[in-house]
Amino acid sequence: MSRIALVTLVVDDYDEAIRFYTEALGFRLAEDAPRPDGSRWVVVEPGAPGSGLLLARAKGEAQAARVGDQAGGRVGFFLHTDDFARDHARMTAAGVTFLEEPRHEPYGVVAVFQDLYGNRWDLLQPAG
């Protein structure tokens, strides 16, 4: 095994999630295909193909209760950048909510933001 290809993110609505991840975060829509059960196979990728999010619309109360709280209030997702200032400014201008000011840590420059549902993410430019 060489990598994790996809991680499922439970969402309320496919189209609003696609808009947020592509327009606010700058991901690219890699796949959007209908499924026989009426759902869709929706994959967004942050950069080059190889890793991405499978956006899965919640089915039933148990899944709907997880939307926005998939990591129990912790940072659950880590988005690396090669230019923190550029991406932080672009995301802020696009309406992304940052929960803190950027900070310099031994491992890099980082700030926590939340997606449209409230899941917490790190925007991180690794040191070195």
Side-chain angles (χ1 to χ4, degrees):
M1 290 173 264
S2 62
R3 65 182 169 83
I4 295 173
L6 295 173
V7 173
T8 299
L9 186 69
V10 182
V11 301
D12 280 333
D13 179 82
Y14 293 116
D15 294 321
E16 74 179 2
I18 290 168
R19 271 191 304 281
F20 177 81
Y21 286 98
T22 60
E23 295 175 13
L25 298 190
F27 286 26
R28 82 176 183 88
L29 180 61
E31 294 181 64
D32 186 355
R35 310 260 307 154
D37 66 357
S39 66
R40 288 159 57 186
W41 182 264
V42 178
V43 176
V44 292
E45 297 175 336
S51 65
L53 294 175
L54 173 65
L55 304 178
R57 188 180 61 212
K59 291 182 184 176
E61 290 182 30
Q63 289 182 17
R66 301 295 186 268
V67 173
D69 191 28
Q70 296 193 144
R74 296 183 56 116
V75 171
F77 306 94
F78 301 82
L79 184 59
H80 282 195
T81 177
D82 61 358
D83 187 334
F84 183 92
R86 175 200 65 213
D87 290 333
H88 182 267
R90 181 186 52 74
M91 291 166 64
T92 299
V96 174
T97 301
F98 279 86
L99 303 177
E100 62 183 12
E101 293 298 316
R103 61 185 199 282
H104 296 267
E105 300 289 347
Y107 54 84
V109 182
V110 63
V112 177
F113 70 92
Q114 61 187 24
D115 67 17
L116 75 162
Y117 299 113
N119 293 299
R120 291 175 178 233
W121 291 67
D122 270 359
L123 176 64
L124 173 64
Q125 181 176 351

